[in-house]
Amino acid sequence: MSDSEDEIPELVEAVNKIPVSIITGYLGAGKTTLLNYILTEQHNKKIAVILNEFGEGSAVEKSMSVGQSGELYEEWLELRNGCLCCSVKDTGINAIENLMKKKGKFDYVLLETTGLADPGPIASIFWLDDGLGSELYLDGIITVVDAKYGLKNLKEDQQPGVVNEAIRQVAVADLILVNKIDLATKEEIAKLTSHIQTINSFAGLVETHKSNVDLDEILDLHAFDTMGKKSDWTALEKRGISDHHNIDQSVTTVTFSVQGSINSEDLDNFIQNLIWEKNVKNATGDVMQILRLKGEVSVTNEPKRVILQVVQELYDRILTTEWSTDTRTCTIVFIGKHLTKSILLESFSKLVR
């Protein structure tokens, strides 16, 4: 067979992929309210929702997950608007296998994490698992934040060297819903959104009341591929991604652009030293801890742009459109703890030609 014939099955499979959105947020932020809204609203979309059963849940979760003897089990409910809902003890392979059995009955999958869960490892199941690649793809990570108490949660003290979960959930997000705006003053909302942007200036921000949101805002983000607005760096630059620092905030956003191209091996080594070797230190000697990284870079002898994706210790590169001009630029956004821009910029610039 020719090379072109070999590519055909891959193209056919790509069309049938189901997008998975991770819904995360601190306890009480409104994740379940958001999912209830999606499950009951008439939106002409067939959506499968997985509720992660963990300890005390909502009445809706309990009605689906507690049997007559109090034992936990898995159950699908098919709702009038065409949505499906499932409560599971595990967000891993068992839940995914159940989804595979329902394939073709829905257009989207929303997976709720617990309020204390780190969404990074959960996202990795759908993002980098080659065994699942033909069926599901990670569309984006959506974090719900309580407008009234979100700032308090983000400033909650943790043990030295530990990033609190509320901060971690905001740091890895592609989209942030600031919920319950009716319960907070304009000043409180302004302080919260400003603080969120010190942590993650890359994610989009949407304010909501009772988690009611236009589904077009949260679906089809394509945050981990090259098809959506999140991969359009021109649009992101217009929105204004910039460095955000706060004297009492250890998790920040750092971004820079460098003209030129970088060797493929040098790029891998740069990322690996940051996320795996953890040998890159800031100005005060603390190891820089990367929670999320996104970039558009020019790789030497590669005619196409390369999109970088990092979630904690997971790393991927995606080829996208060809460069249209002779002038090439590498743009990287870092979200993490103990970041020093001058050191990151100097280390990267030395590798660019």
Side-chain angles (χ1 to χ4, degrees):
M1 293 177 69
S2 68
D3 290 342
S4 60
E5 288 175 318
D6 288 341
E7 292 173 359
I8 292 175
E10 182 179 346
L11 295 173
V12 172
E13 286 182 7
V15 174
N16 295 325
K17 286 185 177 181
I18 300 172
V20 178
S21 300
I22 308 294
I23 310 292
T24 188
Y26 209 66
L27 296 167
K31 302 185 303 297
T32 302
T33 305
L34 171 64
L35 295 172
N36 285 343
Y37 168 72
I38 292 169
L39 288 169
T40 56
E41 188 72 8
Q42 295 299 322
H43 42 59
N44 297 319
K45 300 179 191 293
K46 293 182 178 179
I47 302 173
V49 171
I50 299 181
L51 301 177
N52 182 16
E53 181 61 40
F54 181 86
E56 292 299 318
S58 69
V60 174
E61 290 173 287
K62 287 185 178 298
S63 68
M64 291 182 290
S65 60
V66 179
Q68 291 181 349
S69 303
E71 76 280 11
L72 292 175
Y73 67 98
E74 299 177 4
E75 180 182 352
W76 286 94
L77 296 181
E78 190 148 7
L79 305 177
R80 290 180 181 177
N81 65 352
C83 289
L84 294 166
C85 190
C86 180
S87 182
V88 298
K89 294 174 288 185
D90 174 26
T91 55
I93 299 302
N94 289 338
I96 299 167
E97 287 175 348
N98 278 336
L99 283 176
M100 296 306 178
K101 294 174 184 176
K102 295 286 183 179
K103 188 179 183 302
K105 290 191 175 181
F106 44 77
D107 307 311
Y108 301 91
V109 176
L110 302 184
L111 174 59
E112 179 201 24
T113 70
T114 69
L116 298 176
D118 177 357
I122 298 169
S124 71
I125 296 171
F126 301 93
W127 175 29
L128 294 178
D129 193 319
D130 292 335
L132 296 171
S134 62
E135 298 289 343
L136 300 165
Y137 71 89
L138 180 60
D139 187 51
I141 301 172
I142 301 162
T143 298
V144 185
V145 178
D146 188 319
K148 184 70 175 177
Y149 299 108
L151 193 57
K152 178 184 175 183
N153 297 333
L154 291 169
K155 291 187 173 183
E156 213 169 72
D157 290 334
Q158 292 286 320
Q159 296 176 356
V162 177
V163 178
N164 97 35
E165 291 308 330
I167 292 177
R168 193 181 292 272
Q169 290 166 355
V170 166
V172 301
D174 299 294
L175 179 69
I176 297 168
L177 303 184
V178 177
N179 189 38
K180 303 182 181 179
I181 56 172
D182 54 311
L183 302 181
T185 65
K186 289 182 179 179
E187 291 75 16
E188 287 173 326
I189 295 170
K191 285 182 180 178
L192 172 61
T193 55
S194 175
H195 195 78
I196 286 172
Q197 288 175 328
T198 68
I199 300 168
N200 183 349
S201 66
F202 188 89
L205 262 174
V206 178
E207 295 180 5
T208 62
H209 167 54
K210 293 185 178 179
S211 296
N212 288 8
V213 63
D214 184 345
L215 292 193
D216 289 337
E217 296 266 17
I218 66 174
L219 300 176
D220 296 316
L221 295 179
H222 291 286
F224 288 81
D225 58 43
T226 61
M227 294 172 60
K229 292 179 287 186
K230 294 292 179 184
S231 299
D232 184 346
W233 284 84
T234 304
L236 291 170
E237 287 165 5
K238 286 179 181 177
R239 192 179 76 202
I241 294 179
S242 58
D243 301 332
H244 285 272
H245 298 279
N246 189 320
I247 196 165
D248 65 350
Q249 185 64 31
S250 62
V251 176
T252 54
T253 298
V254 164
T255 183
F256 59 68
S257 294
V258 179
Q259 283 197 359
S261 299
I262 184 171
N263 178 274
S264 179
E265 186 176 345
D266 288 341
L267 176 61
D268 285 339
N269 288 336
F270 175 78
I271 299 295
Q272 289 166 16
N273 285 335
L274 273 173
I275 66 173
W276 294 340
E277 302 300 329
K278 300 186 187 298
N279 56 16
V280 182
K281 297 182 179 180
N282 68 3
T284 58
D286 297 307
V287 173
M288 297 194 205
Q289 182 180 348
I290 303 299
L291 297 175
R292 187 75 188 265
L293 179 153
K294 295 191 82 167
E296 180 187 73
V297 301
S298 171
V299 172
T300 306
N301 297 323
E302 173 53 64
K304 294 184 178 181
R305 291 174 168 83
V306 175
I307 299 294
L308 303 181
Q309 289 279 3
V310 171
V311 178
Q312 296 175 30
E313 296 184 353
L314 299 170
Y315 168 44
D316 195 19
R317 290 162 51 166
I318 307 166
L319 289 178
T320 177
T321 57
E322 292 191 6
W323 292 94
S324 57
T325 63
D326 293 334
T327 303
R328 297 189 179 190
T329 303
C330 300
T331 302
I332 305 179
V333 181
F334 305 82
I335 300 169
K337 190 172 184 179
H338 305 313
L339 304 183
T340 299
K341 179 176 180 176
S342 59
I343 293 175
L344 289 168
L345 178 57
E346 182 182 3
S347 299
F348 189 81
S349 297
K350 287 179 179 177
L351 305 174
V352 175
R353 301 289 182 266

